[in-house]
């Protein structure tokens, strides 16, 4: 099926490819992605500072709330995706939940502005000063404002990649290339939003006040939504097809009921649907493997949906099960990425942050990997992909899983480089008698650019590759869920990363409860270099596990370039390309 099959315009009529979809429609989507990420990335990276300085929380509690906020941003994409695929168009899902995100920022702005809604100012460095942390109803207001934001942003994360992918017909040679570029430019919009947030929004929060900073965040999201809504007449929209989770559960239940029934030798005896059936978004052909699920399509006289399923329904369940090993190995592969990024900034805080006569602030260090991502994405999309496409014949230059693997290899190298740089940083601190100092180590912060560059490569390859893989492999009725699975990987890996820090500290502490690798506030006396080597080993093992499952995976869609003579050919043939 082509990418525009079964799609409708805003009035519910079949789409006209000359009027709907394409690059023009995707520009409106990229605008919302850029502006919403300008607000959210700034909030994620600066939230700990707000909780400690304005709400007077201790380090542990502030870090926990910030980690939970980041995870919630990723995880709420799952229920939003379920609603979009099952009951509402993607456009209406974002339209309904988007204002809730704006409301969250408004509540935070009101709390930051009204003195009675937050603790009074104090100086924690003075022993005579008592800094009372936020509590009671004010704490409830803070948490309410924070967790309203993921409700709106989760809907955007789940629906915008899928909505963007729908704007391109993969059976059309031109639009097939444009769809491959869409996910690159989607990631570029995320990085550009992060750049704007780090340069402008963080500056407003730190220099002009948190109340004004949260207002700017709300205005960014509001402006992005208004631009995105303006593109409504140009979008191609997929109609919801009912709950995919229910369909998969029906297959599992029906297959279990008929587990003792023999499969017929003639596959045509299994129940199948036709393309012209009212509920048929897509007709999937029977594939080899997981034959136990095929029993759900055997007609034993009971036509209940929990006893008899179509082959298309069975194949939809197979698609999800086949992606599980890739999901799990990718969760392991992504664990070191946020940890390296966070610890790299802490390393940079102790080093020489001068750039000529300019001092680089700690938060500004995040701009370095962001700029790397933006530059690499442009080079990758404009030069590397066309070059590789001519050699390999794949529309993206390489397959999705190959691209993801390159990212995990870069993450492995990044952890190794980070360990070496940290070893040198501690050696310089020791040679200069600065082991007790928290800043001023005479070693340029630009020693960190190599690991920042490698992290940029991870986002250009694994970030885009995973997003595109789960979107393209998902069935037509699960595109939003496919996109949300990727963000679920980020959320789960963030939680596991926090758990890994706690385990490493607990195991390496001495009998008196001190001496853990990452205990204390002095990085020079810690063992961050050893923790980096632990991450390098973990990343290498996860890379090997990922490569094993990637080689076994059989794509349901052919990723080779469509030529004009093959425009009307089916793209549903499974082909092993790794």
């Amino acid at each position: 099926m082509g990418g525009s099959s079964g799609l409708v315009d805003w009035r519910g009529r079949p789409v006209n490819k000359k009027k709907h979809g394409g690059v023009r429609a995707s520009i409106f989507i990229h605008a919302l992605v850029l502006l919403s990420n300008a607000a959210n990335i700034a909030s994620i990276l600066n939230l700990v500072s707000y909780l400690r300085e304005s709400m007077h929380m201790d380090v542990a509690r502030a870090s926990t709330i910030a980690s939970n906020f980041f995870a919630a941003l990723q995880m709420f994409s799952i229920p939003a995706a379920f609603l979009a695929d099952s009951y509402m168009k993607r456009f209406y899902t974002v339209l309904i939940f988007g204002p809730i995100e704006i409301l969250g920022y408004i509540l935070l702005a009101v709390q930051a502005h009204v003195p009675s809604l937050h603790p009074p100012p104090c100086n924690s460095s003075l022993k005579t000063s008592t800094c009372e942390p936020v509590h009671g109803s004010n704490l409830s207001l803070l948490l309410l404002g924070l967790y309203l934001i993921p409700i709106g942003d989760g809907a955007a994360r789940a629906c915008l990649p899928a909505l963007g992918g729908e704007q391109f017909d993969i059976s059309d040679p031109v639009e097939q290339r444009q769809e491959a570029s869409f996910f690159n430019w989607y990631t570029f919009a995320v990085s550009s939003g992060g750049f704007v947030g780090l340069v402008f929004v963080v500056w407003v929060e730190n220099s002009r006040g948190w109340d004004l900073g949260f207002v700017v965040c709300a205005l960014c999201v509001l402006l992005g939504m208004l631009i995105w809504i303006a593109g409504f007449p140009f979008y191609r929209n997929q109609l919801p097809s009912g709950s995919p989770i229910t369909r998969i559960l029906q297959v599992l239940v029906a297959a279990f009921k008929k587990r003792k029934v023999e499969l017929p030798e003639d596959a045509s005896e299994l129940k199948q649907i036709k393309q012209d059936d009212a509920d048929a978004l897509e007709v999937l052909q029977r594939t080899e493997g997981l034959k136990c699920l095929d029993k759900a399509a055997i007609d034993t006289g009971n036509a209940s949906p929990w006893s008899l399923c179509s082959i298309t329904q069975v194949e939809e369940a197979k698609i999800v099960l086949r992606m599980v090993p890739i999901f799990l190995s990718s969760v392991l592969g992504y664990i070191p990425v946020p940890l390296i990024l966070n610890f790299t900034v802490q390393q940079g805080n102790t080093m020489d942050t001068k750039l000529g006569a300019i001092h680089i602030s700690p938060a500004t260090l995040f701009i370095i990997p962001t700029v790397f991502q933006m530059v690499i994405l442009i080079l990758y999309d404009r030069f590397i992909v066309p070059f590789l496409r001519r050699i390999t014949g794949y529309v993206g230059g390489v397959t999705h899983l190959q691209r993801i693997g390159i990212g995990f290899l870069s993450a492995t190298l990044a952890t190794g480089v980070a360990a070496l740089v940290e070893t040198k940083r501690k050696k310089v601190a020791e040679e200069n008698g600065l082991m007790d100092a928290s800043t001023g180590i005479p070693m340029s912060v630009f020693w960190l650019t190599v690991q920042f560059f490698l992290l940029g490569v991870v986002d250009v390859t694994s970030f885009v590759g995973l997003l595109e893989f789960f979107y393209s492999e998902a069935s037509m009725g699960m595109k939003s869920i496919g996109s949300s699975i990727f963000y679920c990987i980020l959320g789960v890996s963030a939680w596991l990363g926090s758990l890994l820090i706690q385990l490493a500290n607990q195991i390496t502490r001495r009998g008196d409860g001190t001496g853990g690798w990452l205990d204390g506030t002095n990085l020079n006396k810690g063992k961050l270099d050893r923790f980096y080597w632990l991450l390098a080993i973990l990343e290498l093992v996860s890379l090997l596990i990922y490569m094993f499952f990637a080689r076994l995976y059989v794509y349901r869609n052919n990723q080779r370039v469509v030529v004009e003579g093959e425009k009307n050919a089916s793209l549903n043939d499974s082909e092993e390309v790794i």
Side-chain angles (χ1 to χ4, degrees):
M1 290 177 63
S4 60
S5 299
L7 301 179
V8 297
D9 66 5
W10 65 285
R11 293 179 177 175
R13 302 172 301 188
V15 297
N16 183 336
K17 290 178 61 175
K18 295 181 179 180
K19 296 180 179 180
H20 306 110
V23 174
R24 177 178 58 179
S26 69
I27 291 175
F28 296 96
I29 298 173
H30 289 141
L32 176 54
V33 173
L34 190 155
L35 288 166
S36 63
N37 278 280
N40 295 327
I41 291 178
S43 299
I44 292 170
L45 299 181
N46 219 18
L47 181 59
V48 171
S49 297
Y50 175 64
L51 296 177
R52 293 191 63 192
E53 296 169 6
S54 298
M55 297 297 163
H56 308 322
M57 292 184 180
D58 57 37
V59 175
R61 193 174 190 189
S63 300
T64 299
I65 290 179
S67 298
N68 290 340
F69 174 71
F70 172 79
L73 283 170
Q74 319 304 327
M75 301 302 291
F76 190 80
S77 62
I78 295 290
F82 172 76
L83 290 174
D85 283 339
S86 304
Y87 306 110
M88 298 187 289
K89 293 179 183 177
R90 308 190 216 290
F91 179 88
Y92 292 120
T93 303
V94 179
L95 186 64
I96 291 172
F97 289 103
I100 299 177
E101 178 181 5
I102 299 173
L103 177 60
Y105 281 120
I106 292 175
L107 289 179
L108 293 177
V110 171
Q111 183 176 38
H113 182 75
V114 179
S116 62
L117 297 179
H118 60 261
C122 71
N123 190 343
S124 59
S125 62
L126 298 177
K127 294 183 179 180
T128 58
S129 177
T130 302
C131 294
E132 182 183 1
V134 64
H135 64 280
S137 59
N138 287 348
L139 175 60
S140 299
L141 178 62
L142 171 67
L143 297 177
L144 176 63
L146 284 176
Y147 290 112
L148 284 177
I149 294 171
I151 294 177
D153 188 64
R157 288 171 184 257
C159 298
L160 292 183
L163 180 63
E166 288 171 357
Q167 308 311 308
F168 305 97
D169 184 350
I170 60 173
S171 66
D172 182 283
V174 175
E175 292 196 11
Q176 185 197 35
R177 292 172 172 83
Q178 291 173 343
E179 188 209 37
S181 288
F182 167 79
F183 289 97
N184 291 330
W185 290 106
Y186 178 93
T187 308
F188 182 83
V190 173
S191 299
S192 300
F195 181 82
V196 173
L198 291 169
V199 171
F200 177 64
V201 178
V202 169
W203 174 81
V204 172
E205 292 172 342
N206 294 337
S207 303
R208 294 293 183 265
W210 287 96
D211 50 353
L212 184 58
F214 288 131
V215 169
V216 170
C217 290
L219 291 176
C220 284
V221 179
L222 176 60
L223 178 60
M225 288 205 65
L226 291 176
I227 296 174
W228 173 74
I229 291 171
F232 185 37
F234 305 110
Y235 297 143
R236 301 172 185 173
N237 299 283
Q238 179 69 65
L239 296 173
S241 59
S243 171
I245 296 176
T246 300
R247 294 196 297 270
I248 292 173
L249 289 176
Q250 287 172 342
V251 171
L252 298 178
V253 171
F256 179 78
K257 287 180 177 179
K258 290 178 278 191
R259 60 190 181 279
K260 296 182 180 180
V261 178
E262 292 292 330
L263 277 172
E265 296 182 2
D266 186 359
S268 63
E269 297 180 21
L270 300 175
K271 181 185 177 184
Q272 183 55 284
I273 61 175
K274 298 179 181 180
Q275 185 64 63
D276 55 358
D277 287 352
D279 297 331
L281 274 181
E282 181 179 26
V283 175
L284 301 176
Q285 301 301 318
R286 181 173 178 266
T287 60
E288 296 298 324
L290 297 174
K291 292 184 178 181
C292 58
L293 297 182
D294 290 341
K295 294 182 178 182
I298 300 175
D299 189 352
T300 57
N302 187 346
S304 165
W306 293 90
S307 297
L308 180 61
C309 305
S310 68
I311 282 295
T312 290
Q313 198 173 339
V314 171
E315 289 302 317
E316 194 173 39
K318 287 184 180 181
I319 288 170
V320 173
L321 292 177
R322 284 168 176 156
M323 290 193 295
V324 168
I326 302 298
F327 171 84
L328 295 176
S329 57
S330 296
V331 168
L332 291 176
Y334 244 99
I335 288 176
V337 175
L339 296 178
I340 300 172
L341 192 59
N342 290 329
F343 284 125
T344 296
V345 173
Q346 294 186 40
Q347 288 175 279
N349 293 342
T350 69
M351 301 166 73
D352 181 6
T353 59
K354 289 182 180 178
L355 179 59
I358 303 174
H359 280 275
I360 303 174
S361 67
T364 309
L365 291 175
F366 283 106
I367 294 177
I368 297 175
T370 302
V371 171
F372 274 135
Q373 292 166 18
M374 295 165 65
V375 173
I376 297 171
L377 273 167
I378 294 175
L379 295 175
Y380 185 84
D381 187 76
R382 297 290 91 185
F383 300 102
I384 298 176
V385 169
F387 174 74
L388 292 176
R389 184 183 292 148
R390 288 193 293 269
I391 297 175
T392 65
Y394 295 122
V395 67
V398 293
T399 66
H400 302 324
L401 294 179
Q402 287 171 346
R403 185 172 183 175
I404 297 166
I406 293 170
F408 289 155
L409 176 61
S410 297
T412 306
L413 296 175
T415 52
V417 170
L420 294 174
V421 171
E422 173 62 9
T423 301
K424 179 174 177 58
R425 190 196 65 81
K426 290 181 63 176
K427 183 178 180 181
V428 172
E430 185 177 4
E431 291 173 349
N432 288 272
L434 297 173
M435 292 299 289
D436 293 322
S438 59
T439 60
I441 296 176
M443 178 177 173
S444 174
V445 71
F446 291 98
W447 275 83
L448 303 174
T449 54
V450 176
Q451 60 208 68
F452 271 140
F453 172 78
L454 290 170
L455 290 175
V457 174
V458 172
D459 277 343
V460 170
T461 51
S462 290
F463 185 100
V464 184
L466 284 166
L467 185 60
E468 194 169 6
F469 169 76
F470 286 111
Y471 168 79
S472 63
E473 289 298 293
S475 64
M476 293 292 291
M478 296 183 62
K479 292 298 186 183
S480 295
I481 291 180
S483 301
S484 67
I485 289 174
F486 163 68
Y487 287 108
C488 185
I489 289 174
L490 300 185
V492 174
S493 62
W495 274 331
L496 291 178
S498 299
L499 178 62
L500 181 63
I501 291 175
Q502 296 176 21
L503 288 175
N505 273 341
Q506 186 174 354
I507 292 173
T508 57
R509 284 189 185 118
R510 293 189 290 266
D512 58 358
T514 62
W517 281 359
L518 303 174
D519 276 339
T521 58
N522 191 328
L523 206 60
N524 300 329
K525 294 185 177 180
K527 298 293 187 292
L528 180 59
D529 51 341
R530 296 182 183 179
F531 185 72
Y532 274 146
W533 286 120
L534 174 64
L535 290 181
I537 295 172
L538 173 65
E539 186 67 22
L540 180 60
V541 171
S542 66
L543 174 62
L544 295 175
I545 295 173
Y546 169 81
M547 290 176 61
F548 173 78
F549 288 118
R551 290 188 64 86
L552 295 178
Y553 189 84
V554 178
Y555 290 98
R556 83 180 192 93
N557 285 313
N558 188 348
Q559 297 179 50
R560 294 194 179 275
V561 176
V562 173
V563 295
E564 195 63 35
E566 299 171 345
K567 181 175 178 178
N568 296 321
S570 171
L571 293 176
N572 289 328
D573 298 330
S574 297
E575 178 180 2
E576 185 173 0
V577 291
I578 280 195

